[in-house]
């Protein structure tokens, strides 16, 4: 009887050790998988990789629950990062257009990040103000001003009713009006001179 109890006790101990070993192994596998997933996500955050892989949340334990929660945050974070990158690409495009003298392009895509969305709105307000003052195309303004230096006052800014283009067109119209008046006065003076010369010749005769 004592031998039977001893054998039974040994069997229980062995079974417990086996169960404990299996549990330890499962926990170790879950920890390694959890750690691998987190490290992959941190690499994505640090720009070491271009894609964020989700954690394995198939386990029906605490690690599976934590992995599910982290996966939701990975998806949200990835969406924000992609939105930010798209915004920065759009900013680059708008800046390049401004450098070329064009002031009509805007930052159209809304950003998920609150701070960048505020920056987007501020930049658009600045571009609208510049557009209202300077006009649509700086190159055309420069072209008209350069034509002035060659005494060519025939150019004007069309389809642009903003402040500087309007003022420049008004100056062009004023100069043209002055030139027309001067030409008229010159023709009148020339005619008067011709009459005067004729009278002088008549008087001399």
């Amino acid at each position: 009887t004592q031998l039977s109890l001893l054998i039974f006790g040994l069997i229980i101990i062995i079974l417990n050790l086996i169960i404990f070993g299996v549990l330890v192994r499962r926990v170790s596998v879950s920890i390694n998988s959890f750690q691998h997933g987190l490290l992959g996500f941190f690499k994505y955050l640090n720009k070491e990789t271009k894609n964020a892989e989700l954690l394995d949340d198939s386990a029906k334990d605490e690690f599976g629950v934590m992995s599910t929660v982290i996966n939701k945050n990975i998806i949200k974070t990835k969406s924000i990062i992609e939105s930010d990158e798209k915004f920065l690409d759009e900013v680059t495009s708008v800046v390049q257009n401004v450098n070329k003298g064009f002031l009509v392009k805007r930052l159209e895509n809304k950003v998920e990040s609150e701070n960048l969305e505020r920056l987007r709105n501020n930049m658009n307000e600045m571009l609208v103000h510049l557009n209202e003052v300077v006009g649509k195309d700086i190159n055309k303004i420069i072209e008209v001003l350069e034509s002035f230096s060659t005494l060519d006052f025939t150019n004007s800014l069309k389809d642009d009713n903003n402040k500087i283009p309007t003022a420049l067109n008004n100056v062009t119209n004023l100069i043209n009006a002055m030139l027309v008046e001067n030409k008229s006065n010159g023709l009148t003076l020339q005619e008067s001179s011709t009459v005067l010369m004729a009278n002088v010749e008549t008087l001399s005769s």
Side-chain angles (χ1 to χ4, degrees), residues 92-103 138-139:
T92 301
S93 175
V94 169
V95 169
Q96 288 174 349
N97 272 271
V98 172
N99 287 336
K100 292 176 182 177
F102 306 114
L103 303 177
I138 297 175
N139 302 293

Side-chain angles (χ1 to χ4, degrees), residues 23-73:
L23 289 175
V24 168
R25 187 170 181 278
R26 285 184 61 184
V27 170
S28 177
V29 170
S30 295
I31 289 176
N32 289 335
S33 175
F34 188 77
Q35 182 181 18
H36 176 75
L38 276 182
L39 290 175
F41 179 53
F42 290 143
K43 285 182 180 180
Y44 173 74
L45 290 178
N46 294 326
K47 307 296 183 182
E48 296 176 20
T49 59
K50 293 185 178 180
N51 192 30
E53 296 183 1
L54 298 178
L55 277 67
D56 181 9
D57 57 358
S58 60
K60 305 300 181 183
D61 54 14
E62 288 80 3
F63 288 102
V65 174
M66 287 190 295
S67 296
T68 300
V69 173
I70 291 176
N71 283 343
K72 291 179 180 178
N73 285 277

Side-chain angles (χ1 to χ4, degrees), residues 83-84 86-88 90-91 94 105-128:
S83 173
D84 291 351
K86 188 175 182 181
F87 169 71
L88 293 176
E90 194 178 18
V91 168
V94 169
K105 192 167 183 179
R106 302 289 181 265
L107 298 166
E108 303 292 346
N109 297 311
K110 188 175 181 180
V111 193
E112 291 189 30
S113 171
E114 184 178 345
N115 290 332
L116 290 183
E117 177 63 15
R118 190 181 305 117
L119 174 62
R120 184 182 76 88
N121 290 328
N122 288 338
M123 288 187 67
N124 280 339
E125 288 178 6
M126 177 189 68
L127 290 168
V128 168

Side-chain angles (χ1 to χ4, degrees), residues 150-169:
T150 61
L151 302 180
D152 178 5
F153 303 103
T154 59
N155 286 341
S156 62
L157 295 166
K158 298 177 177 62
D159 301 323
D160 196 339
N161 299 320
N162 295 298
K163 292 182 180 179
I164 289 180
T166 299
L168 195 54
N169 284 339

Side-chain angles (χ1 to χ4, degrees), residues 197-205:
M197 289 293 296
N199 289 336
V200 168
E201 288 180 0
T202 300
L203 184 60
S204 296
S205 299

